[in-house]
């Protein structure tokens, strides 16, 4: 009977691990199945399972291989994993060390693409009403793409040729593989928050559906749709259409075409500015002429309605009215003076003093004139009023019925 082999657990696991490595059939194989239980380690390593209807196997894909993934795997994805079979000595679990991972035919990705497209269409992310027009003048263009490769060089060459003063602000990202969607979403949000960025170009070169799959990820599409800054999508070639293209404000067939769309020719701008200058001059001249005419009309109205002239006219009317009143008053006074003089003459003719001046006298008794001799009594004292004075007299006798001019009464002084 052969002697028993005594091994520790570590020795056994190591022995089995070496057996897997020495088996040429297990060193390079392709494994077809459905992916499940995807987990990303903080080191960048990807853990998942491959299964079919009857069995499953644990798989691990190290960070350096994960970075080369064209499309991010998801649970339920039918895929082809290429690599080798090995054993993890610490747990004694055998697993597949995956080097490359591809979808099992484009149908899987295409079905997922259609489902996501329908979902986002229902939400209105592709509606033309929400798209922003490109600005007429651009001085800063934000670019979201890989810092290596031909894309950024094409954008720079076209932009600087069209406008040597163009300012291109690159936000470098990975355009495929694990972590690429998150980087692109962060870059879009960063550029969208900069006030001096007029337009954003998100771009990458051509490739297969798996190569471009990052720009079909929901997080990237939503980040494009959420930007308030106009976005031009230039992903892949002219025949390649991603969901990012549908959510962008404008789709360009190539990165070079995107640069041409957003960066106008400097010479065109000079011509446009010259035209605007002439239009501005003509408009300013027309406006000045109109203002001059309006000013002249306003001045004429002011001159016609100015208070000083109206006051002067009122003063003239007042002076004229005053002169007329004075003339009327003078005429009225002259008429009154003439009438007064006439009355004075008439009174003068009827005045007793005028009669007395002709040699007559007035006999007064008790302050009253005596008009008849019958009112006098002999021995009665009376006053004789003459033209130049008066005298006291006494009636010596009274004789009635004598003619005028005879002395019917005798007087004593």
């Amino acid at each position: 009977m052969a002697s028993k082999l005594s091994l520790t657990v570590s020795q056994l696991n190591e022995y089995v691990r070496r057996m897997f490595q020495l088996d040429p059939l297990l060193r390079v194989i392709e494994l077809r199945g459905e992916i499940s239980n995807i987990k990303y380690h903080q080191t960048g390593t990807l853990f998942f399972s491959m299964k079919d209807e009857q069995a499953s196997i644990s798989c691990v894909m190290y960070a350096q291989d994960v970075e080369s993934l064209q499309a991010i795997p998801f649970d339920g994805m039918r895929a082809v994993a290429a690599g080798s079979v090995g054993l993890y000595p610490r747990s004694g679990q055998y697993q597949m060390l995956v080097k490359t991972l591809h979808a099992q035919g484009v149908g899987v990705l295409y079905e997922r693409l259609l489902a996501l497209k329908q979902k986002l269409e229902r939400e209105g992310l592709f509606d033309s009403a929400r798209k922003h027009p490109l600005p007429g003048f651009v001085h800063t263009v934000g670019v979201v793409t890989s810092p290596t490769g031909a894309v950024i060089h094409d954008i720079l060459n076209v932009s600087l040729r069209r406008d040597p003063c163009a300012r291109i602000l690159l936000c470098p990202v990975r355009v495929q593989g694990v972590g690429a969607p998150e980087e692109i979403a962060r870059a879009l949000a960063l550029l969208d928050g900069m006030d001096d960025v007029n337009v954003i170009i998100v771009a990458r070169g051509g490739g297969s559906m798996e190569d471009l799959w990052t720009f079909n990820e929901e997080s990237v599409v939503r980040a494009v749709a959420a930007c308030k800054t106009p976005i031009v999508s230039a992903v892949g070639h002219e025949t390649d259409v991603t969901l990012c293209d549908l959510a962008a404000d404008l789709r360009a067939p190539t990165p070079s075409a995107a640069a041409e769309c957003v960066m106008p020719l400097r010479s065109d701008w000079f011509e446009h500015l010259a035209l605007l200058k002439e239009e501005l001059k003509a408009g300013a001249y027309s406006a000045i002429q109109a203002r001059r005419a309006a000013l002249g009309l306003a001045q004429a109205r002011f001159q016609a309605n100015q208070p000083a002239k109206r006051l002067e006219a009122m003063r003239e009317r007042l002076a004229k009215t005053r002169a007329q009143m004075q003339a009327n008053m003078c005429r009225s006074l002259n008429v009154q003076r003439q009438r007064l003089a006439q009355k004075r003459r008439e009174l003068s003719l009827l005045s007793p003093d005028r009669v007395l001046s002709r040699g007559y006298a007035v006999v007064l008794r008790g302050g009253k004139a005596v008009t008849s001799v019958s009112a006098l009594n002999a021995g009665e004292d009376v006053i004789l009023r003459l033209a130049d004075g008066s005298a006291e007299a006494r009636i010596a006798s009274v004789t009635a019925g004598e003619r005028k001019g005879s002395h019917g009464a005798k007087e004593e002084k």
Side-chain angles (χ1 to χ4, degrees):
M1 182 176 181
S3 61
K4 296 182 180 178
L5 180 64
S6 177
L7 299 173
T8 64
V9 175
S10 299
Q11 291 173 336
L12 177 60
N13 286 345
E14 179 64 20
Y15 177 79
V16 175
R17 185 184 71 82
R18 290 180 178 274
M19 291 293 294
F20 280 127
Q21 287 181 340
L22 294 174
D23 191 336
L25 294 178
L26 301 180
R27 293 178 63 181
V28 180
I29 66 170
E30 285 188 351
L31 188 64
R32 290 175 174 82
E34 182 179 308
I35 295 177
S36 64
N37 301 323
I38 292 181
K39 294 179 182 178
Y40 291 98
H41 193 266
Q42 61 183 3
T43 60
T45 303
L46 176 64
F47 296 95
F48 60 96
S49 297
M50 293 283 289
K51 65 179 183 177
D52 56 21
E53 292 79 2
Q54 298 177 352
S56 67
I57 182 174
S58 298
C59 301
V60 60
M61 192 174 190
Y62 293 113
Q64 64 270 23
D65 299 318
V66 171
E67 291 181 355
S68 63
L69 282 175
Q70 305 300 309
I72 300 174
F74 54 88
D75 285 339
M77 174 180 172
R78 294 190 298 275
V80 177
S84 60
V85 177
L87 183 136
Y88 187 53
R90 181 172 297 180
S91 62
Q93 180 182 10
Y94 102 99
Q95 60 188 6
M96 182 171 181
L97 304 178
V98 179
K99 300 294 290 184
T100 62
L101 184 65
H102 300 281
Q104 188 176 355
V106 296
V108 177
L109 295 178
Y110 189 70
E111 290 174 3
R112 189 183 183 202
L113 175 65
L114 290 181
L116 181 59
K117 179 181 178 183
Q118 292 175 358
K119 173 185 174 181
L120 299 180
E121 278 181 336
R122 288 193 297 268
E123 296 182 20
L125 266 66
F126 304 148
D127 292 348
S128 58
R130 53 157 296 278
K131 297 183 183 297
H132 306 92
L134 297 184
F137 178 75
V138 175
H139 58 78
T140 301
V141 178
V143 179
V144 178
T145 191
S146 172
T148 61
V151 172
I152 184 61
H153 295 290
D154 291 343
I155 292 175
L156 286 172
N157 290 336
V158 173
S159 299
L160 296 178
R161 184 179 70 247
R162 294 176 69 84
D163 185 358
C165 296
R167 184 167 176 251
I168 308 300
L169 183 60
L170 172 64
C171 196
V173 296
R174 287 180 291 176
V175 294
Q176 65 185 47
V178 177
E182 291 76 13
E183 290 186 10
I184 294 174
R186 286 195 298 268
L188 290 173
L190 177 63
L191 292 176
D192 189 43
M194 296 182 177
D195 295 334
D196 56 341
V197 175
N198 307 119
V199 65
I200 299 173
I201 297 177
V202 55
R204 72 147 288 161
S208 64
M209 177 179 289
E210 289 183 343
D211 295 334
L212 306 180
W213 189 255
T214 296
F215 297 91
N216 290 320
E217 289 291 342
E218 185 172 355
S219 60
V220 175
V221 180
R222 292 190 181 278
V224 170
C227 285
K228 298 179 176 60
T229 306
I231 291 187
V232 177
S233 177
V235 178
H237 299 300
E238 186 172 359
T239 57
D240 300 321
V241 179
T242 64
L243 298 184
C244 181
D245 295 331
L246 302 179
D249 299 302
L250 179 68
R251 175 184 179 263
T254 63
S256 298
E260 292 182 358
C261 291
V262 303
M263 188 61 62
L265 284 171
R266 191 174 182 84
S267 58
D268 291 345
W269 266 110
F270 285 148
E271 294 178 2
H272 182 62
L273 289 176
L275 180 60
L276 290 178
K277 181 179 179 181
E278 293 301 321
E279 292 179 354
L280 182 61
K281 287 173 61 177
Y285 179 77
S286 177
I288 290 173
Q289 293 299 105
R291 296 299 186 274
R292 283 177 177 171
L295 179 60
L297 181 59
Q299 287 178 337
R301 289 178 177 174
F302 178 76
Q303 293 294 334
N305 299 318
Q306 61 180 326
K309 285 199 171 185
R310 295 179 63 186
L311 183 61
E312 184 64 25
M314 294 176 67
R315 284 176 178 170
E316 292 178 358
R317 290 177 58 188
L318 178 61
K320 185 177 181 180
T321 303
R322 182 182 294 172
Q324 290 178 350
M325 291 179 63
Q326 289 179 348
N328 292 337
M329 290 178 63
C330 289
R331 284 195 297 269
S332 178
L333 287 174
N334 289 334
V335 171
Q336 296 298 326
R337 287 192 186 103
Q338 292 175 4
R339 292 178 63 185
L340 180 61
Q342 180 65 24
K343 296 297 183 181
R344 283 178 176 174
R345 287 193 296 271
E346 293 176 356
L347 289 174
S348 178
L349 292 175
L350 300 175
S351 174
D353 294 336
R354 188 176 182 83
V355 176
L356 294 177
S357 66
R358 294 200 300 268
Y360 294 93
V362 178
V363 179
L364 302 173
R365 185 185 63 186
K368 295 181 179 181
V370 179
T371 59
S372 175
V373 292
S374 61
L376 295 175
N377 298 312
E380 191 175 19
D381 292 334
V382 296
I383 295 176
L384 299 176
R385 184 180 176 185
L386 302 174
D388 56 353
S390 62
E392 295 181 357
R394 179 172 294 169
I395 303 301
S397 62
V398 177
T399 304
E402 292 188 7
R403 297 177 61 185
K404 187 179 178 180
S406 63
H407 300 282
K410 294 182 182 180
E411 302 176 359
E412 293 182 357
K413 297 184 177 178

